[in-house]
Every structure is written in C-alpha cells, then in structure tokens.
Amino acid sequence: KKRKAIRDTWATLLDEMNMTHVFVFGMSDNPVENSIVQNEAEVYNDVIQAGFPERYSNLNSKTRAALKWVLESCQNVKFIFKTDDDMFLNPVFIHKLTNSGEFRDDSTIYGNCMSSGYPHRSVFSKWYAPFRFYPHPYYGPFCLGSAYIMSLKTAQMLYHGCQSTNLFHVEDVYISGMCAANAGLRVKTYHATHLPERTLFSTCANQSAFIGSLLSDVPSFYIAWEQLKRNKK
C-alpha cells in the first residue's frame, strides 16, 4: 500500500524532471512472497531484489545493494537520493535545488544529520548495540537514514568505503557514519531535508521549501498530494 501511495503521488512528478525511483527488497524465506515481488517488478519496472534476507536488521545490506545497483546501472546520473517508504518527497523542490548547484560537493552527504549519537544498550531497543558489537560510548557524525542526497561520485566513494567496513546493524550509523568516515566523506545537515513527522503543506509544490516529511500512514500520502499539487504548473 505504501509503494502504491508513492507511485500514485509524488513519484508521478519524476518523469517530467528526468528523475526516477526504485524500491529495493531483500529475499523472503517464503517463495510465494518472492514471486509476488517479482510480479510487481514486471508490472511496474521499479523493483530491485537482492540476495540477502529481508528483515530490519539487514537495512545496511539493503542500502549497500542499492548503491551497487546505482553504480552499475545508472552511471550517468548526477545525484542519488536515498529515502524510506514512509517519506513523502517534494520532487519539484529537489529538482530546483539540484539545478541551482546545491549538493555538488563530492565529499559530502547531505541530509538530516547529527554530530554524534550514543549506542542503545537496552536489549529492548530497536537499535540495540551491545558492547561486543560497538564498544565506544558515542557514534561519530551520521545522517538519519530516512532521507539523504549525494552526488554520483560521493556514492562511488561511499560504496567503496563500505567494502572495507565491517557490517554494523544500525543502518544510518553504518552507512553515512562508519562507511562514510572510512571513505573520507563528511555529512552536512540541509535544513529542508526532513520536516517533523506528519507535517503537511500549506503551499503548492513550486512554492514549498521542503524536501520530505515522514507520513507513516497511507491516507496521509494522498492528503499531502492534494495539497502539494495545487497550482503545480
């Protein structure tokens, strides 16, 4: 339902701006589910499925697979935007920013970034990181995995950085923190990368200065879409 909401809403704006989207999957233990994913891929031509188990702890592998696919299949793109399926994006503003020269620093990942963070030591935490996996008291700088953007060259450097970085299950810390640091990259907050959860939009797409907002329920995508497309042209 979330993928349908994306295809029905903000993704419909991508073609006219020479942009595209793909959804990245791992593999299910259930062959019927894998068959459903492959059927969806044939219908929509926007699905990538890689050979790791599909589960939350493998988000790091999913992002690595996405980077690899981009570098092998999209060698002429200028920018890569990584996001989650509960994010509502404004492609009009993203297009405006990339054409105006934003995000061109090949040593930087732009997003909703933090200068540091601390490992969650509680076994009940979604992001539990035991000392044996991460013995340090703080993480280094990283961007939240919900939305970040980079140039193609940055993506190449980031992927190569991942090849020499041991896997760590907290995806945003691993990819934009540990792998980025090993690649000599830095992270930088871009003020409009992420609005507070469930923020909707009071202006049309051409006037809205936002990149994305977390909308965790499907109906909110359609509400936001009606707001965003007003006077789009």
Side-chain angles (χ1 to χ4, degrees):
K1 290 180 179 179
K2 285 183 178 179
R3 293 192 297 278
K4 183 178 187 303
I6 289 171
R7 293 184 182 114
D8 288 345
T9 60
W10 60 263
T12 65
L13 301 175
L14 296 177
D15 283 347
E16 62 191 80
M17 288 172 283
N18 197 28
M19 300 161 70
T20 191
H21 72 278
V22 290
F23 297 100
V24 185
F25 287 82
M27 299 294 292
S28 171
D29 294 333
N30 185 337
V32 175
E33 290 182 349
N34 289 323
S35 177
I36 291 171
V37 170
Q38 289 303 310
N39 288 339
E40 185 174 339
E42 293 175 6
V43 171
Y44 294 102
N45 196 33
D46 63 359
V47 170
I48 302 164
Q49 192 171 25
F52 54 86
E54 174 65 44
R55 54 175 174 259
Y56 184 78
S57 60
N58 280 339
L59 281 179
N60 47 18
S61 297
K62 182 174 290 190
T63 304
R64 282 172 54 140
L67 287 169
K68 180 181 180 181
W69 181 85
V70 167
L71 297 179
E72 292 176 349
S73 306
C74 309
Q75 298 178 2
N76 294 322
V77 301
K78 294 181 179 179
F79 299 98
I80 297 97
F81 195 108
K82 184 268 183 188
T83 191
D84 293 339
D85 64 3
D86 53 6
M87 288 291 292
F88 186 96
L89 301 186
N90 181 356
V92 176
F93 188 53
I94 295 170
H95 185 253
K96 185 184 299 184
L97 290 173
T98 54
N99 280 346
S100 68
E102 296 283 353
F103 314 128
R104 293 189 182 278
D105 185 342
D106 290 330
S107 63
T108 302
I109 301 170
Y110 299 87
N112 186 15
C113 306
M114 305 175 65
S115 60
S116 184
Y118 61 90
H120 290 232
R121 302 303 190 187
S122 169
V123 295
F124 301 105
S125 171
K126 184 178 182 180
W127 303 283
Y128 173 50
F131 282 96
R132 68 181 183 277
F133 291 163
Y134 195 89
H136 311 292
Y138 298 103
Y139 296 132
F142 67 95
C143 297
L144 298 183
S146 53
Y148 50 77
I149 189 168
M150 69 193 88
S151 69
L152 179 63
K153 184 175 180 180
T154 304
Q156 292 170 335
M157 296 171 65
L158 180 60
Y159 181 72
H160 290 306
C162 289
Q163 304 312 299
S164 59
T165 307
N166 291 333
L167 281 173
F168 181 63
H169 64 287
V170 183
E171 181 256 350
D172 45 11
V173 172
Y174 174 71
I175 296 291
S176 64
M178 299 164 69
C179 296
N182 279 350
L185 300 172
R186 67 187 185 116
V187 298
K188 182 178 181 181
T189 289
Y190 187 78
H191 63 89
T193 305
H194 186 236
L195 294 178
E197 183 174 358
R198 301 181 68 84
T199 298
L200 300 183
F201 320 108
S202 59
T203 57
C204 64
N206 283 333
Q207 298 169 342
S208 293
F210 79 93
I211 289 178
S213 183
L214 178 63
L215 302 178
S216 53
D217 61 285
V218 169
S220 292
F221 274 74
Y222 294 95
I223 295 171
W225 176 237
E226 290 302 316
Q227 294 176 321
L228 187 66
K229 71 181 182 179
R230 288 179 302 192
N231 303 316
K232 180 177 70 68
K233 298 181 179 180

